[in-house]
Amino acid sequence: MKTEQSPNIFESQWQLYQKILTNNYMQHREIYGILHAFLVSYFPTPFSILDLGCGDASFTAQALANTRIASYKGIDLSEPALEIARDNMNSIPCEQTLIQGDFFEVVSELAQNQQDSFDGIFSSFAFHHLSFEQKDSIMAKLSNLLKPDGVFILIDIVSTDGETRDTYLRRYLEGVYQNWAQLTPEEVSMIEGHVLSSDFPETQTTLQSLAHKHDFNRVECLYRDPLNTSQVLCFYKSSAKSPLQLGVG
C-alpha cells in the first residue's frame, strides 16, 4: 500500500498498515520467513539488493538479518516511511542507501546511468500499482540492472489465468470482508477504496511471458497464499536451479 505525502494521511494509513501487519492478514510472517531462507541459500557470498517500494523496511530487515548482505538500496515515495526504514535497517551491517522517489522513475534513471548492478532486486506489494505497459518497461530495465546470476524477487498479488481484474478484486475483497476481522468498517472502506483504485494484478502466465521477453531464463513460485491471491515469484537471470524449493506451484 502506497502512502501519501501529507503527514495526517500518512499517520492514518500507517496505523492501518501496521494493524494489517500485526494481524498477519497478508501473510507477511510466512512470506518473509521464506524470503530469509531463500536469501541465505541463494547468496552464500556477499550480495547487493535493490528494494522497490521499500516502505519502512521492517520485514525486509528481518529477512536480511544473518545473511551475507553487503549493500542495500531502497526506494520509496514516502519520506516518513524512509525515516522509519533508517531505524529498522540500523541492525543490518551493510552499506545502505535510501532514495525518496517513484521507484519506476528511479529505476529508469539507474538503468540509463549504467553505473549500478545488483545481485538481487526485490519488490513487495508495489509492482501491481503499475500499468501493464509500465510493468513491461520496468522488467526490461530490471533485467539490465541485474548481474549475470541475479534474481528479481516479486512478492505481489497475482490473478489466476482467465480471471479479469474486476473478478480478482471482488475475490480479494471477499477475503478482506471475511477474514480481516479486527478492522473497523471505516478501515475496511479505506482498504476497499485503495484496492479498487490502485490494484492492477497480472496472471502468473503474463508475468512469466514478460520475464521471458526480457531475458529472464526461469521463473519459480516459492509461495502462494491460502486464498491464491498472492505469490512469491523468483525471476532468474541464470538457468541454474535454485538451491531452495519451497512451495513451488
Side-chain angles (χ1 to χ4, degrees), residues 62-162:
Q62 295 177 37
L64 291 172
N66 301 311
T67 68
R68 300 297 303 276
I69 182 70
S71 174
Y72 172 84
K73 182 171 288 187
I75 307 166
D76 201 86
L77 196 60
S78 169
E79 184 58 44
L82 291 176
E83 288 296 328
I84 301 172
R86 289 183 180 94
D87 291 335
N88 287 330
M89 288 293 294
N90 274 341
S91 61
I92 308 300
C94 70
E95 178 186 345
Q96 300 176 20
T97 306
L98 295 175
I99 302 171
Q100 192 276 322
D102 183 304
F103 72 80
F104 182 84
E105 296 174 358
V106 175
V107 164
S108 298
E109 293 169 4
L110 291 174
Q112 186 174 10
N113 293 338
Q114 297 183 330
Q115 294 178 344
D116 288 300
S117 61
F118 304 91
D119 297 295
I121 298 176
F122 172 64
S123 178
S124 177
F125 295 112
F127 208 66
H128 66 269
H129 293 132
L130 302 177
S131 68
F132 175 80
E133 291 75 19
Q134 288 175 315
K135 295 183 184 93
D136 187 8
S137 173
I138 200 171
M139 284 288 278
K141 296 176 176 66
L142 297 183
S143 179
N144 291 331
L145 286 171
L146 281 170
K147 295 178 182 179
D149 290 324
V151 57
F152 171 42
I153 306 165
L154 177 65
I155 298 171
D156 216 335
I157 58 174
V158 179
S159 55
T160 61
D161 286 341

Side-chain angles (χ1 to χ4, degrees), residues 23 25 32 60 69 98 119 134 163 179 198-199 203 214 219:
N23 288 282
Y25 288 146
Y32 281 82
T60 302
I69 182 70
L98 295 175
D119 297 295
Q134 288 175 315
E163 190 173 39
N179 302 318
S198 303
D199 288 8
T203 67
H214 298 301
V219 180

Side-chain angles (χ1 to χ4, degrees), residues 18-19 82-83 98 145 176 178 189 208 211 213 220 222:
Q18 293 302 312
K19 197 170 182 179
L82 291 176
E83 288 296 328
L98 295 175
L145 286 171
V176 173
Q178 293 176 17
S189 180
Q208 287 174 333
K213 174 182 177 181
E220 180 181 24
L222 298 185

Side-chain angles (χ1 to χ4, degrees), residues 20-48:
I20 293 169
L21 295 183
T22 299
N23 288 282
N24 200 37
Y25 288 146
M26 295 171 67
Q27 284 73 51
H28 278 70
R29 295 172 199 157
E30 294 83 354
I31 287 170
Y32 281 82
I34 287 171
L35 176 62
H36 173 74
F38 176 83
L39 294 175
V40 170
S41 297
Y42 194 77
F43 295 115
T45 58
F47 65 97
S48 57

